[in-house]
Amino acid sequence: MSTTRPYSPGDRGPEPSGASGASEGGTPEAGVSAKAAVPSVPAEEARMPRQERRLRLDGESGVVPLARDFTRQALYAWGWLPAASADQRAAAEDVLLVVSELVTNACLHAEGPDELVLTCDNKVIRIEVTDRGTGQPAPRTPHRAGRPGGHGMFIVQRLCLDWGVVRTPGASGKTVWAELGAPA
């Protein structure tokens, strides 16, 4: 599902009112202690803070292999690789495939990519590709597997938890983002 977000990449938007146990003013509601409003996190999940890596692609040649190599290095640094199981290996390959598809789409349809941003926490890896294009990416419908080309966003849609486009008002271009679940 493609969504256009009214907030910047990496920001999942405001929490629903009262979701954190705090009132609109930011203080705990009556009868809810500040300690109770903080969810408990298992020690192993608390170990890995959100990590981010950026790669400028503007003006570079061979950007798809460059982006894949950069992503592979990040996956090693974040412990996704080397994979200990087939599921973990498949998750890492899915990330590399989505990076390839998003960067390729920016090359083919959006005047080339400007930047690749990868962020990772315990549960999700987020891929963002910023470009100067004005178009709106969308899976080709109906999808015809036997037809050459046009499979990129269909693949992204099938592999990802979610994906979408963020545009900055008054600026040219966009950021196409996709999120994949971390391997178990």
mmCIF file of all heavy atoms in Angstrom, residues 71-126:
data_model
loop_
_atom_site.group_PDB
_atom_site.id
_atom_site.type_symbol
_atom_site.label_atom_id
_atom_site.label_comp_id
_atom_site.label_asym_id
_atom_site.label_seq_id
_atom_site.Cartn_x
_atom_site.Cartn_y
_atom_site.Cartn_z
ATOM 1 N N THR A 71 24.484 -0.880 1.467
ATOM 2 C CA THR A 71 23.462 -1.530 2.294
ATOM 3 C C THR A 71 23.996 -2.827 2.885
ATOM 4 O O THR A 71 23.774 -3.120 4.067
ATOM 5 C CB THR A 71 22.199 -1.790 1.456
ATOM 6 O OG1 THR A 71 21.727 -0.537 0.941
ATOM 7 C CG2 THR A 71 21.112 -2.454 2.284
ATOM 8 N N ARG A 72 24.717 -3.600 2.107
ATOM 9 C CA ARG A 72 25.301 -4.851 2.603
ATOM 10 C C ARG A 72 26.239 -4.577 3.780
ATOM 11 O O ARG A 72 26.207 -5.274 4.798
ATOM 12 C CB ARG A 72 26.036 -5.582 1.478
ATOM 13 C CG ARG A 72 26.492 -6.977 1.876
ATOM 14 C CD ARG A 72 27.124 -7.741 0.725
ATOM 15 N NE ARG A 72 26.117 -8.147 -0.249
ATOM 16 C CZ ARG A 72 25.975 -7.614 -1.465
ATOM 17 N NH1 ARG A 72 26.769 -6.665 -1.873
ATOM 18 N NH2 ARG A 72 25.022 -8.044 -2.269
ATOM 19 N N GLN A 73 27.064 -3.533 3.663
ATOM 20 C CA GLN A 73 27.968 -3.161 4.760
ATOM 21 C C GLN A 73 27.173 -2.788 6.014
ATOM 22 O O GLN A 73 27.540 -3.168 7.127
ATOM 23 C CB GLN A 73 28.869 -2.010 4.341
ATOM 24 C CG GLN A 73 29.892 -2.392 3.304
ATOM 25 C CD GLN A 73 30.636 -1.181 2.749
ATOM 26 O OE1 GLN A 73 30.482 -0.060 3.225
ATOM 27 N NE2 GLN A 73 31.440 -1.416 1.724
ATOM 28 N N ALA A 74 26.080 -2.047 5.833
ATOM 29 C CA ALA A 74 25.240 -1.686 6.985
ATOM 30 C C ALA A 74 24.627 -2.933 7.615
ATOM 31 O O ALA A 74 24.581 -3.055 8.845
ATOM 32 C CB ALA A 74 24.144 -0.710 6.547
ATOM 33 N N LEU A 75 24.170 -3.869 6.793
ATOM 34 C CA LEU A 75 23.572 -5.096 7.325
ATOM 35 C C LEU A 75 24.585 -5.903 8.133
ATOM 36 O O LEU A 75 24.234 -6.491 9.159
ATOM 37 C CB LEU A 75 22.983 -5.938 6.187
ATOM 38 C CG LEU A 75 21.764 -5.331 5.479
ATOM 39 C CD1 LEU A 75 21.370 -6.179 4.275
ATOM 40 C CD2 LEU A 75 20.602 -5.136 6.428
ATOM 41 N N TYR A 76 25.832 -5.938 7.706
ATOM 42 C CA TYR A 76 26.885 -6.593 8.505
ATOM 43 C C TYR A 76 27.100 -5.846 9.822
ATOM 44 O O TYR A 76 27.189 -6.461 10.891
ATOM 45 C CB TYR A 76 28.205 -6.678 7.720
ATOM 46 C CG TYR A 76 28.317 -7.911 6.870
ATOM 47 C CD1 TYR A 76 28.081 -7.846 5.505
ATOM 48 C CD2 TYR A 76 28.652 -9.141 7.436
ATOM 49 C CE1 TYR A 76 28.182 -8.985 4.710
ATOM 50 C CE2 TYR A 76 28.749 -10.282 6.650
ATOM 51 C CZ TYR A 76 28.513 -10.192 5.290
ATOM 52 O OH TYR A 76 28.608 -11.323 4.521
ATOM 53 N N ALA A 77 27.166 -4.521 9.749
ATOM 54 C CA ALA A 77 27.400 -3.725 10.962
ATOM 55 C C ALA A 77 26.253 -3.865 11.958
ATOM 56 O O ALA A 77 26.478 -3.828 13.170
ATOM 57 C CB ALA A 77 27.585 -2.251 10.581
ATOM 58 N N TRP A 78 25.026 -4.056 11.464
ATOM 59 C CA TRP A 78 23.856 -4.134 12.326
ATOM 60 C C TRP A 78 23.513 -5.567 12.730
ATOM 61 O O TRP A 78 22.519 -5.808 13.411
ATOM 62 C CB TRP A 78 22.653 -3.482 11.655
ATOM 63 C CG TRP A 78 22.813 -2.002 11.447
ATOM 64 C CD1 TRP A 78 23.634 -1.153 12.139
ATOM 65 C CD2 TRP A 78 22.145 -1.198 10.486
ATOM 66 N NE1 TRP A 78 23.512 0.129 11.663
ATOM 67 C CE2 TRP A 78 22.600 0.131 10.648
ATOM 68 C CE3 TRP A 78 21.207 -1.458 9.500
ATOM 69 C CZ2 TRP A 78 22.151 1.187 9.872
ATOM 70 C CZ3 TRP A 78 20.754 -0.407 8.724
ATOM 71 C CH2 TRP A 78 21.214 0.903 8.913
ATOM 72 N N GLY A 79 24.319 -6.539 12.298
ATOM 73 C CA GLY A 79 24.108 -7.917 12.717
ATOM 74 C C GLY A 79 23.099 -8.703 11.895
ATOM 75 O O GLY A 79 22.744 -9.816 12.265
ATOM 76 N N TRP A 80 22.609 -8.154 10.798
ATOM 77 C CA TRP A 80 21.695 -8.897 9.926
ATOM 78 C C TRP A 80 22.479 -9.940 9.134
ATOM 79 O O TRP A 80 21.925 -10.946 8.720
ATOM 80 C CB TRP A 80 20.994 -7.953 8.954
ATOM 81 C CG TRP A 80 19.922 -7.105 9.537
ATOM 82 C CD1 TRP A 80 20.015 -6.298 10.631
ATOM 83 C CD2 TRP A 80 18.598 -6.944 9.036
ATOM 84 N NE1 TRP A 80 18.827 -5.646 10.833
ATOM 85 C CE2 TRP A 80 17.946 -6.025 9.866
ATOM 86 C CE3 TRP A 80 17.915 -7.487 7.961
ATOM 87 C CZ2 TRP A 80 16.630 -5.638 9.664
ATOM 88 C CZ3 TRP A 80 16.600 -7.092 7.744
ATOM 89 C CH2 TRP A 80 15.972 -6.184 8.595
ATOM 90 N N LEU A 81 23.744 -9.648 8.869
ATOM 91 C CA LEU A 81 24.648 -10.549 8.153
ATOM 92 C C LEU A 81 25.898 -10.724 8.990
ATOM 93 O O LEU A 81 26.282 -9.800 9.706
ATOM 94 C CB LEU A 81 25.020 -9.976 6.774
ATOM 95 C CG LEU A 81 23.905 -9.929 5.744
ATOM 96 C CD1 LEU A 81 24.375 -9.185 4.499
ATOM 97 C CD2 LEU A 81 23.443 -11.334 5.362
ATOM 98 N N PRO A 82 26.580 -11.865 8.984
ATOM 99 C CA PRO A 82 26.181 -13.057 8.244
ATOM 100 C C PRO A 82 24.938 -13.674 8.880
ATOM 101 O O PRO A 82 24.772 -13.649 10.104
ATOM 102 C CB PRO A 82 27.381 -13.985 8.370
ATOM 103 C CG PRO A 82 28.076 -13.554 9.619
ATOM 104 C CD PRO A 82 27.794 -12.077 9.764
ATOM 105 N N ALA A 83 24.104 -14.217 8.041
ATOM 106 C CA ALA A 83 22.832 -14.775 8.496
ATOM 107 C C ALA A 83 23.051 -16.148 9.117
ATOM 108 O O ALA A 83 23.780 -16.970 8.574
ATOM 109 C CB ALA A 83 21.871 -14.874 7.326
ATOM 110 N N ALA A 84 22.426 -16.372 10.256
ATOM 111 C CA ALA A 84 22.549 -17.646 10.961
ATOM 112 C C ALA A 84 21.510 -18.660 10.496
ATOM 113 O O ALA A 84 21.639 -19.846 10.760
ATOM 114 C CB ALA A 84 22.413 -17.421 12.467
ATOM 115 N N SER A 85 20.472 -18.196 9.801
ATOM 116 C CA SER A 85 19.408 -19.099 9.356
ATOM 117 C C SER A 85 18.942 -18.677 7.960
ATOM 118 O O SER A 85 19.244 -17.581 7.488
ATOM 119 C CB SER A 85 18.225 -19.052 10.324
ATOM 120 O OG SER A 85 17.560 -17.801 10.221
ATOM 121 N N ALA A 86 18.176 -19.554 7.348
ATOM 122 C CA ALA A 86 17.627 -19.254 6.015
ATOM 123 C C ALA A 86 16.680 -18.053 6.078
ATOM 124 O O ALA A 86 16.665 -17.229 5.163
ATOM 125 C CB ALA A 86 16.906 -20.477 5.456
ATOM 126 N N ASP A 87 15.905 -17.939 7.151
ATOM 127 C CA ASP A 87 14.986 -16.798 7.292
ATOM 128 C C ASP A 87 15.751 -15.488 7.405
ATOM 129 O O ASP A 87 15.356 -14.483 6.824
ATOM 130 C CB ASP A 87 14.077 -16.972 8.515
ATOM 131 C CG ASP A 87 13.004 -18.022 8.305
ATOM 132 O OD1 ASP A 87 12.767 -18.415 7.137
ATOM 133 O OD2 ASP A 87 12.405 -18.451 9.307
ATOM 134 N N GLN A 88 16.844 -15.496 8.166
ATOM 135 C CA GLN A 88 17.646 -14.279 8.308
ATOM 136 C C GLN A 88 18.328 -13.921 6.991
ATOM 137 O O GLN A 88 18.410 -12.751 6.623
ATOM 138 C CB GLN A 88 18.670 -14.453 9.416
ATOM 139 C CG GLN A 88 18.030 -14.507 10.788
ATOM 140 C CD GLN A 88 19.014 -14.857 11.886
ATOM 141 O OE1 GLN A 88 20.026 -15.515 11.643
ATOM 142 N NE2 GLN A 88 18.709 -14.430 13.102
ATOM 143 N N ARG A 89 18.787 -14.915 6.267
ATOM 144 C CA ARG A 89 19.406 -14.671 4.962
ATOM 145 C C ARG A 89 18.370 -14.094 3.994
ATOM 146 O O ARG A 89 18.638 -13.154 3.251
ATOM 147 C CB ARG A 89 20.003 -15.966 4.413
ATOM 148 C CG ARG A 89 20.856 -15.806 3.194
ATOM 149 C CD ARG A 89 21.624 -17.065 2.784
ATOM 150 N NE ARG A 89 21.074 -18.352 3.201
ATOM 151 C CZ ARG A 89 21.427 -19.023 4.299
ATOM 152 N NH1 ARG A 89 22.342 -18.539 5.110
ATOM 153 N NH2 ARG A 89 20.868 -20.183 4.587
ATOM 154 N N ALA A 90 17.160 -14.638 4.005
ATOM 155 C CA ALA A 90 16.080 -14.141 3.140
ATOM 156 C C ALA A 90 15.718 -12.700 3.491
ATOM 157 O O ALA A 90 15.480 -11.883 2.594
ATOM 158 C CB ALA A 90 14.857 -15.045 3.252
ATOM 159 N N ALA A 91 15.691 -12.374 4.782
ATOM 160 C CA ALA A 91 15.371 -10.999 5.198
ATOM 161 C C ALA A 91 16.424 -10.029 4.684
ATOM 162 O O ALA A 91 16.093 -8.945 4.181
ATOM 163 C CB ALA A 91 15.263 -10.923 6.719
ATOM 164 N N ALA A 92 17.696 -10.384 4.778
ATOM 165 C CA ALA A 92 18.767 -9.516 4.279
ATOM 166 C C ALA A 92 18.682 -9.365 2.765
ATOM 167 O O ALA A 92 18.850 -8.267 2.225
ATOM 168 C CB ALA A 92 20.130 -10.074 4.695
ATOM 169 N N GLU A 93 18.397 -10.452 2.058
ATOM 170 C CA GLU A 93 18.261 -10.388 0.596
ATOM 171 C C GLU A 93 17.069 -9.530 0.199
ATOM 172 O O GLU A 93 17.121 -8.811 -0.805
ATOM 173 C CB GLU A 93 18.136 -11.794 -0.002
ATOM 174 C CG GLU A 93 19.423 -12.577 0.039
ATOM 175 C CD GLU A 93 20.568 -11.921 -0.747
ATOM 176 O OE1 GLU A 93 20.321 -11.330 -1.815
ATOM 177 O OE2 GLU A 93 21.711 -11.999 -0.278
ATOM 178 N N ASP A 94 15.987 -9.583 0.973
ATOM 179 C CA ASP A 94 14.829 -8.723 0.703
ATOM 180 C C ASP A 94 15.207 -7.249 0.816
ATOM 181 O O ASP A 94 14.805 -6.425 -0.012
ATOM 182 C CB ASP A 94 13.675 -9.035 1.657
ATOM 183 C CG ASP A 94 12.991 -10.356 1.355
ATOM 184 O OD1 ASP A 94 13.273 -10.970 0.294
ATOM 185 O OD2 ASP A 94 12.165 -10.789 2.193
ATOM 186 N N VAL A 95 15.986 -6.912 1.842
ATOM 187 C CA VAL A 95 16.431 -5.523 2.007
ATOM 188 C C VAL A 95 17.257 -5.099 0.800
ATOM 189 O O VAL A 95 17.040 -4.015 0.234
ATOM 190 C CB VAL A 95 17.233 -5.348 3.316
ATOM 191 C CG1 VAL A 95 17.897 -3.977 3.369
ATOM 192 C CG2 VAL A 95 16.331 -5.554 4.528
ATOM 193 N N LEU A 96 18.195 -5.930 0.374
ATOM 194 C CA LEU A 96 19.035 -5.596 -0.779
ATOM 195 C C LEU A 96 18.205 -5.444 -2.052
ATOM 196 O O LEU A 96 18.452 -4.542 -2.866
ATOM 197 C CB LEU A 96 20.118 -6.654 -0.965
ATOM 198 C CG LEU A 96 21.169 -6.712 0.146
ATOM 199 C CD1 LEU A 96 22.027 -7.961 0.002
ATOM 200 C CD2 LEU A 96 22.023 -5.456 0.148
ATOM 201 N N LEU A 97 17.204 -6.288 -2.228
ATOM 202 C CA LEU A 97 16.338 -6.205 -3.404
ATOM 203 C C LEU A 97 15.518 -4.914 -3.395
ATOM 204 O O LEU A 97 15.406 -4.230 -4.422
ATOM 205 C CB LEU A 97 15.420 -7.426 -3.481
ATOM 206 C CG LEU A 97 14.429 -7.463 -4.644
ATOM 207 C CD1 LEU A 97 15.149 -7.347 -5.997
ATOM 208 C CD2 LEU A 97 13.608 -8.745 -4.584
ATOM 209 N N VAL A 98 14.965 -4.557 -2.251
ATOM 210 C CA VAL A 98 14.170 -3.327 -2.168
ATOM 211 C C VAL A 98 15.046 -2.100 -2.429
ATOM 212 O O VAL A 98 14.636 -1.176 -3.145
ATOM 213 C CB VAL A 98 13.423 -3.241 -0.809
ATOM 214 C CG1 VAL A 98 12.798 -1.863 -0.606
ATOM 215 C CG2 VAL A 98 12.359 -4.329 -0.734
ATOM 216 N N VAL A 99 16.258 -2.076 -1.887
ATOM 217 C CA VAL A 99 17.182 -0.976 -2.174
ATOM 218 C C VAL A 99 17.416 -0.886 -3.677
ATOM 219 O O VAL A 99 17.338 0.192 -4.274
ATOM 220 C CB VAL A 99 18.514 -1.144 -1.410
ATOM 221 C CG1 VAL A 99 19.595 -0.221 -1.969
ATOM 222 C CG2 VAL A 99 18.311 -0.877 0.076
ATOM 223 N N SER A 100 17.689 -2.020 -4.313
ATOM 224 C CA SER A 100 17.920 -2.035 -5.762
ATOM 225 C C SER A 100 16.724 -1.491 -6.526
ATOM 226 O O SER A 100 16.883 -0.691 -7.459
ATOM 227 C CB SER A 100 18.209 -3.462 -6.245
ATOM 228 O OG SER A 100 19.381 -3.947 -5.679
ATOM 229 N N GLU A 101 15.538 -1.908 -6.147
ATOM 230 C CA GLU A 101 14.327 -1.473 -6.856
ATOM 231 C C GLU A 101 14.081 0.027 -6.684
ATOM 232 O O GLU A 101 13.763 0.725 -7.650
ATOM 233 C CB GLU A 101 13.108 -2.275 -6.391
ATOM 234 C CG GLU A 101 13.152 -3.739 -6.751
ATOM 235 C CD GLU A 101 13.187 -4.017 -8.249
ATOM 236 O OE1 GLU A 101 12.793 -3.138 -9.061
ATOM 237 O OE2 GLU A 101 13.622 -5.111 -8.620
ATOM 238 N N LEU A 102 14.225 0.533 -5.467
ATOM 239 C CA LEU A 102 13.964 1.966 -5.234
ATOM 240 C C LEU A 102 15.001 2.842 -5.931
ATOM 241 O O LEU A 102 14.654 3.877 -6.511
ATOM 242 C CB LEU A 102 13.910 2.262 -3.738
ATOM 243 C CG LEU A 102 12.755 1.618 -2.960
ATOM 244 C CD1 LEU A 102 12.811 2.034 -1.493
ATOM 245 C CD2 LEU A 102 11.407 1.970 -3.567
ATOM 246 N N VAL A 103 16.267 2.450 -5.886
ATOM 247 C CA VAL A 103 17.315 3.237 -6.548
ATOM 248 C C VAL A 103 17.147 3.158 -8.066
ATOM 249 O O VAL A 103 17.264 4.164 -8.770
ATOM 250 C CB VAL A 103 18.721 2.791 -6.092
ATOM 251 C CG1 VAL A 103 19.805 3.476 -6.908
ATOM 252 C CG2 VAL A 103 18.908 3.091 -4.600
ATOM 253 N N THR A 104 16.835 1.972 -8.585
ATOM 254 C CA THR A 104 16.599 1.825 -10.023
ATOM 255 C C THR A 104 15.425 2.683 -10.475
ATOM 256 O O THR A 104 15.500 3.351 -11.521
ATOM 257 C CB THR A 104 16.356 0.342 -10.384
ATOM 258 O OG1 THR A 104 17.528 -0.405 -10.057
ATOM 259 C CG2 THR A 104 16.028 0.175 -11.853
ATOM 260 N N ASN A 105 14.337 2.684 -9.720
ATOM 261 C CA ASN A 105 13.185 3.520 -10.080
ATOM 262 C C ASN A 105 13.563 4.995 -10.112
ATOM 263 O O ASN A 105 13.115 5.734 -10.989
ATOM 264 C CB ASN A 105 12.027 3.295 -9.108
ATOM 265 C CG ASN A 105 11.207 2.090 -9.468
ATOM 266 O OD1 ASN A 105 11.449 1.434 -10.484
ATOM 267 N ND2 ASN A 105 10.242 1.770 -8.636
ATOM 268 N N ALA A 106 14.381 5.437 -9.162
ATOM 269 C CA ALA A 106 14.824 6.836 -9.165
ATOM 270 C C ALA A 106 15.656 7.130 -10.414
ATOM 271 O O ALA A 106 15.559 8.214 -10.991
ATOM 272 C CB ALA A 106 15.616 7.149 -7.898
ATOM 273 N N CYS A 107 16.465 6.151 -10.847
ATOM 274 C CA CYS A 107 17.269 6.326 -12.066
ATOM 275 C C CYS A 107 16.384 6.397 -13.309
ATOM 276 O O CYS A 107 16.602 7.240 -14.188
ATOM 277 C CB CYS A 107 18.262 5.172 -12.226
ATOM 278 S SG CYS A 107 19.576 5.140 -11.008
ATOM 279 N N LEU A 108 15.403 5.519 -13.392
ATOM 280 C CA LEU A 108 14.582 5.410 -14.589
ATOM 281 C C LEU A 108 13.486 6.469 -14.689
ATOM 282 O O LEU A 108 13.138 6.894 -15.789
ATOM 283 C CB LEU A 108 13.926 4.024 -14.660
ATOM 284 C CG LEU A 108 14.863 2.839 -14.821
ATOM 285 C CD1 LEU A 108 14.079 1.535 -14.741
ATOM 286 C CD2 LEU A 108 15.616 2.938 -16.143
ATOM 287 N N HIS A 109 12.935 6.879 -13.562
ATOM 288 C CA HIS A 109 11.730 7.700 -13.595
ATOM 289 C C HIS A 109 11.838 9.042 -12.875
ATOM 290 O O HIS A 109 10.870 9.800 -12.870
ATOM 291 C CB HIS A 109 10.563 6.930 -12.974
ATOM 292 C CG HIS A 109 10.350 5.572 -13.565
ATOM 293 N ND1 HIS A 109 9.931 5.383 -14.862
ATOM 294 C CD2 HIS A 109 10.523 4.335 -13.049
ATOM 295 C CE1 HIS A 109 9.837 4.093 -15.118
ATOM 296 N NE2 HIS A 109 10.187 3.431 -14.026
ATOM 297 N N ALA A 110 12.970 9.348 -12.255
ATOM 298 C CA ALA A 110 13.004 10.536 -11.394
ATOM 299 C C ALA A 110 14.323 11.300 -11.460
ATOM 300 O O ALA A 110 14.782 11.840 -10.466
ATOM 301 C CB ALA A 110 12.710 10.132 -9.959
ATOM 302 N N GLU A 111 14.972 11.329 -12.611
ATOM 303 C CA GLU A 111 16.203 12.112 -12.781
ATOM 304 C C GLU A 111 17.353 11.639 -11.899
ATOM 305 O O GLU A 111 18.291 12.371 -11.653
ATOM 306 C CB GLU A 111 15.938 13.598 -12.530
ATOM 307 C CG GLU A 111 14.848 14.194 -13.404
ATOM 308 C CD GLU A 111 14.532 15.620 -13.039
ATOM 309 O OE1 GLU A 111 15.452 16.372 -12.662
ATOM 310 O OE2 GLU A 111 13.354 15.982 -13.139
ATOM 311 N N GLY A 112 17.281 10.437 -11.390
ATOM 312 C CA GLY A 112 18.354 9.879 -10.572
ATOM 313 C C GLY A 112 18.176 10.131 -9.095
ATOM 314 O O GLY A 112 17.526 11.083 -8.682
ATOM 315 N N PRO A 113 18.759 9.249 -8.275
ATOM 316 C CA PRO A 113 18.647 9.403 -6.819
ATOM 317 C C PRO A 113 19.644 10.430 -6.287
ATOM 318 O O PRO A 113 20.733 10.585 -6.832
ATOM 319 C CB PRO A 113 18.983 8.011 -6.301
ATOM 320 C CG PRO A 113 19.919 7.451 -7.333
ATOM 321 C CD PRO A 113 19.458 8.025 -8.654
ATOM 322 N N ASP A 114 19.254 11.142 -5.254
ATOM 323 C CA ASP A 114 20.142 12.085 -4.569
ATOM 324 C C ASP A 114 20.809 11.440 -3.361
ATOM 325 O O ASP A 114 21.984 11.647 -3.113
ATOM 326 C CB ASP A 114 19.369 13.320 -4.091
ATOM 327 C CG ASP A 114 18.963 14.231 -5.221
ATOM 328 O OD1 ASP A 114 19.612 14.204 -6.286
ATOM 329 O OD2 ASP A 114 17.976 14.966 -5.043
ATOM 330 N N GLU A 115 20.016 10.666 -2.583
ATOM 331 C CA GLU A 115 20.532 10.123 -1.332
ATOM 332 C C GLU A 115 19.793 8.844 -0.964
ATOM 333 O O GLU A 115 18.599 8.706 -1.220
ATOM 334 C CB GLU A 115 20.368 11.158 -0.216
ATOM 335 C CG GLU A 115 20.966 10.743 1.110
ATOM 336 C CD GLU A 115 20.871 11.826 2.181
ATOM 337 O OE1 GLU A 115 19.823 12.498 2.268
ATOM 338 O OE2 GLU A 115 21.844 11.983 2.917
ATOM 339 N N LEU A 116 20.534 7.936 -0.331
ATOM 340 C CA LEU A 116 19.979 6.727 0.257
ATOM 341 C C LEU A 116 20.183 6.832 1.758
ATOM 342 O O LEU A 116 21.291 7.103 2.219
ATOM 343 C CB LEU A 116 20.709 5.484 -0.276
ATOM 344 C CG LEU A 116 20.451 4.156 0.442
ATOM 345 C CD1 LEU A 116 19.006 3.714 0.287
ATOM 346 C CD2 LEU A 116 21.407 3.083 -0.073
ATOM 347 N N VAL A 117 19.109 6.637 2.519
ATOM 348 C CA VAL A 117 19.184 6.655 3.979
ATOM 349 C C VAL A 117 18.641 5.326 4.489
ATOM 350 O O VAL A 117 17.552 4.906 4.103
ATOM 351 C CB VAL A 117 18.376 7.829 4.584
ATOM 352 C CG1 VAL A 117 18.438 7.796 6.113
ATOM 353 C CG2 VAL A 117 18.859 9.159 4.046
ATOM 354 N N LEU A 118 19.408 4.680 5.345
ATOM 355 C CA LEU A 118 18.995 3.439 5.990
ATOM 356 C C LEU A 118 18.914 3.693 7.485
ATOM 357 O O LEU A 118 19.854 4.231 8.066
ATOM 358 C CB LEU A 118 20.016 2.331 5.729
ATOM 359 C CG LEU A 118 20.344 2.014 4.279
ATOM 360 C CD1 LEU A 118 21.528 1.050 4.218
ATOM 361 C CD2 LEU A 118 19.149 1.447 3.562
ATOM 362 N N THR A 119 17.816 3.324 8.099
ATOM 363 C CA THR A 119 17.710 3.379 9.556
ATOM 364 C C THR A 119 17.254 2.012 10.043
ATOM 365 O O THR A 119 16.491 1.318 9.373
ATOM 366 C CB THR A 119 16.726 4.470 10.037
ATOM 367 O OG1 THR A 119 15.464 4.286 9.406
ATOM 368 C CG2 THR A 119 17.242 5.862 9.733
ATOM 369 N N CYS A 120 17.743 1.652 11.219
ATOM 370 C CA CYS A 120 17.445 0.335 11.759
ATOM 371 C C CYS A 120 17.276 0.431 13.264
ATOM 372 O O CYS A 120 18.030 1.125 13.937
ATOM 373 C CB CYS A 120 18.591 -0.626 11.413
ATOM 374 S SG CYS A 120 18.327 -2.319 11.945
ATOM 375 N N ASP A 121 16.256 -0.253 13.759
ATOM 376 C CA ASP A 121 16.118 -0.443 15.197
ATOM 377 C C ASP A 121 15.923 -1.938 15.408
ATOM 378 O O ASP A 121 16.247 -2.734 14.538
ATOM 379 C CB ASP A 121 14.992 0.418 15.788
ATOM 380 C CG ASP A 121 13.619 0.103 15.201
ATOM 381 O OD1 ASP A 121 13.417 -1.008 14.662
ATOM 382 O OD2 ASP A 121 12.736 0.967 15.278
ATOM 383 N N ASN A 122 15.398 -2.333 16.533
ATOM 384 C CA ASN A 122 15.265 -3.758 16.825
ATOM 385 C C ASN A 122 14.239 -4.469 15.955
ATOM 386 O O ASN A 122 14.298 -5.676 15.803
ATOM 387 C CB ASN A 122 14.870 -3.956 18.292
ATOM 388 C CG ASN A 122 16.004 -3.608 19.210
ATOM 389 O OD1 ASN A 122 17.153 -3.897 18.917
ATOM 390 N ND2 ASN A 122 15.689 -2.952 20.308
ATOM 391 N N LYS A 123 13.292 -3.734 15.411
ATOM 392 C CA LYS A 123 12.172 -4.381 14.741
ATOM 393 C C LYS A 123 12.054 -4.082 13.253
ATOM 394 O O LYS A 123 11.494 -4.884 12.522
ATOM 395 C CB LYS A 123 10.875 -3.986 15.433
ATOM 396 C CG LYS A 123 10.871 -4.354 16.901
ATOM 397 C CD LYS A 123 9.492 -4.535 17.413
ATOM 398 C CE LYS A 123 9.509 -4.813 18.888
ATOM 399 N NZ LYS A 123 9.521 -6.184 19.227
ATOM 400 N N VAL A 124 12.559 -2.934 12.813
ATOM 401 C CA VAL A 124 12.303 -2.482 11.448
ATOM 402 C C VAL A 124 13.547 -1.850 10.841
ATOM 403 O O VAL A 124 14.295 -1.144 11.523
ATOM 404 C CB VAL A 124 11.150 -1.436 11.447
ATOM 405 C CG1 VAL A 124 10.947 -0.825 10.075
ATOM 406 C CG2 VAL A 124 9.855 -2.070 11.933
ATOM 407 N N ILE A 125 13.749 -2.115 9.556
ATOM 408 C CA ILE A 125 14.727 -1.356 8.799
ATOM 409 C C ILE A 125 13.943 -0.497 7.815
ATOM 410 O O ILE A 125 12.987 -0.962 7.202
ATOM 411 C CB ILE A 125 15.755 -2.254 8.080
ATOM 412 C CG1 ILE A 125 16.866 -1.398 7.485
ATOM 413 C CG2 ILE A 125 15.106 -3.107 7.026
ATOM 414 C CD1 ILE A 125 18.092 -2.178 7.069
ATOM 415 N N ARG A 126 14.326 0.763 7.743
ATOM 416 C CA ARG A 126 13.655 1.715 6.860
ATOM 417 C C ARG A 126 14.646 2.148 5.794
ATOM 418 O O ARG A 126 15.774 2.519 6.102
ATOM 419 C CB ARG A 126 13.163 2.924 7.651
ATOM 420 C CG ARG A 126 12.381 3.921 6.814
ATOM 421 C CD ARG A 126 11.893 5.063 7.706
ATOM 422 N NE ARG A 126 11.225 6.082 6.958
ATOM 423 C CZ ARG A 126 9.915 6.254 6.923
ATOM 424 N NH1 ARG A 126 9.123 5.451 7.610
ATOM 425 N NH2 ARG A 126 9.387 7.231 6.220
#
